[in-house]
Amino acid sequence: MTLHKSTLLALVATLLTLFALPVKAQFEFGPTAGVGTVMDKPIQGAGLAADLGVSARYTFLKDAPVSVQLRLDATYGYLYAGSVRKNVIQHVRFGQQDDRFAFAWQDHMIRVPLTVGVRLNNVLGGKLSLRVGGYYGRGIAGKVRYNKTPEGLSFPEFDSYKSNTIKGAAGYEGNFITLAQNEHRLGVLASIDVNIYKQLDLSLYYMGDLVDSWDSINFKPAIKPNALKLGLSYWF
């Protein structure tokens, strides 16, 4: 049996065991929002990352010293970086790793994070939870606007999720073709959640893409955005 199958079976067995336990459990749902800074080596300076969505969580072993929580989110995510050092322009005159390019980047996506956590009921009166997991993301819209190019070239703002053909400038034979952004993302998530007032939770969480935003094999450097954010969740 492969490691992947063994891990999957262990996860399923754990979840079935939790559901079968004759102990108190709790189901909650509610809105969630977060904001923070996006980072990666090609991203120059500070960037912005924001989330808005809905969440549902199920708490097992509610009255035990340690409760187990399973949480599923569906969020809209926004990313902005004012200067990203990368060339996504394909042209016979430019090398694929040409470092004379920098652009402003906006990205919109839908993410579905799934996390497993523990609530430490003997710490801060049961107000502290720790979660880890992963997410699937689907890019829905993106924009690239170059603010630095070689030899004074200029390019119109273009959709980063489509292959765009830009008419060649004087002295440059042939058209410019842009490299389309990857629509599908996978990433990891880790969070510390603190209940600050009744049903209101404050979270400090990290999200990091595992898949490059553009083709990382032929066009370096790779961009795998990661962000540290503060979030609020209200539970019903």
Side-chain angles (χ1 to χ4, degrees):
M1 182 179 294
T2 65
L3 179 61
H4 175 72
K5 290 183 178 179
S6 299
T7 303
L8 182 59
L9 287 174
L11 178 60
V12 171
T14 300
L15 294 177
L16 291 176
T17 301
L18 289 171
F19 277 112
L21 288 173
V23 294
K24 290 184 179 181
Q26 182 181 27
F27 175 77
E28 301 166 286
F29 68 94
T32 183
V35 64
T37 182
V38 64
M39 305 162 287
D40 197 21
K41 188 175 181 180
I43 298 176
Q44 310 296 305
L48 172 68
D51 299 320
L52 182 64
V54 293
S55 300
R57 71 180 180 187
Y58 202 91
T59 302
F60 303 90
L61 310 173
K62 181 175 177 289
D63 298 325
V66 177
S67 299
V68 179
Q69 293 182 326
L70 185 66
R71 174 168 167 172
L72 178 67
D73 295 74
T75 64
Y76 157 76
Y78 173 76
L79 178 153
Y80 174 80
S83 181
V84 181
R85 188 171 296 278
K86 185 175 179 66
N87 174 22
V88 296
I89 297 290
Q90 303 174 67
H91 191 274
V92 293
R93 293 279 295 274
F94 301 135
Q96 294 175 335
Q97 300 182 38
D98 197 317
D99 63 358
R100 296 173 294 171
F101 291 84
F103 58 78
W105 178 26
Q106 293 186 58
D107 200 11
H108 306 263
M109 69 202 75
I110 299 297
R111 289 195 183 101
V112 182
L114 177 63
T115 54
V116 177
V118 294
R119 187 177 71 197
L120 307 176
N121 295 320
N122 292 332
V123 178
L124 300 178
K127 296 182 177 182
L128 180 67
S129 299
L130 306 174
R131 292 185 291 123
V132 294
Y135 60 84
Y136 166 75
R138 173 67 158 78
I140 54 177
K143 292 182 180 179
V144 165
R145 175 177 51 80
Y146 272 98
N147 50 41
K148 182 181 178 182
T149 57
E151 303 179 36
L153 286 173
S154 63
F155 301 99
E157 182 177 273
F158 57 84
D159 184 344
S160 62
Y161 284 99
K162 295 180 180 178
S163 294
N164 301 272
T165 301
I166 302 172
K167 185 174 177 59
Y172 288 83
E173 298 75 16
N175 293 330
F176 299 91
I177 308 297
T178 70
L179 184 67
Q181 194 173 354
N182 294 325
E183 293 182 342
H184 304 283
R185 314 283 184 82
L186 293 174
V188 295
L189 187 154
S191 179
I192 300 174
D193 308 322
V194 180
N195 178 248
I196 56 176
Y197 180 74
K198 294 185 178 179
Q199 289 84 30
L200 185 64
D201 283 4
L202 175 68
S203 300
L204 175 65
Y205 62 106
Y206 166 85
M207 300 182 78
D209 283 5
L210 298 175
V211 180
D212 184 32
S213 297
W214 280 270
D215 178 7
S216 62
I217 297 176
N218 297 314
F219 285 76
K220 301 291 183 179
I223 300 178
K224 296 179 181 178
N226 58 96
L228 187 65
K229 309 174 194 177
L230 278 175
L232 288 173
S233 303
Y234 188 87
W235 301 100
F236 294 96

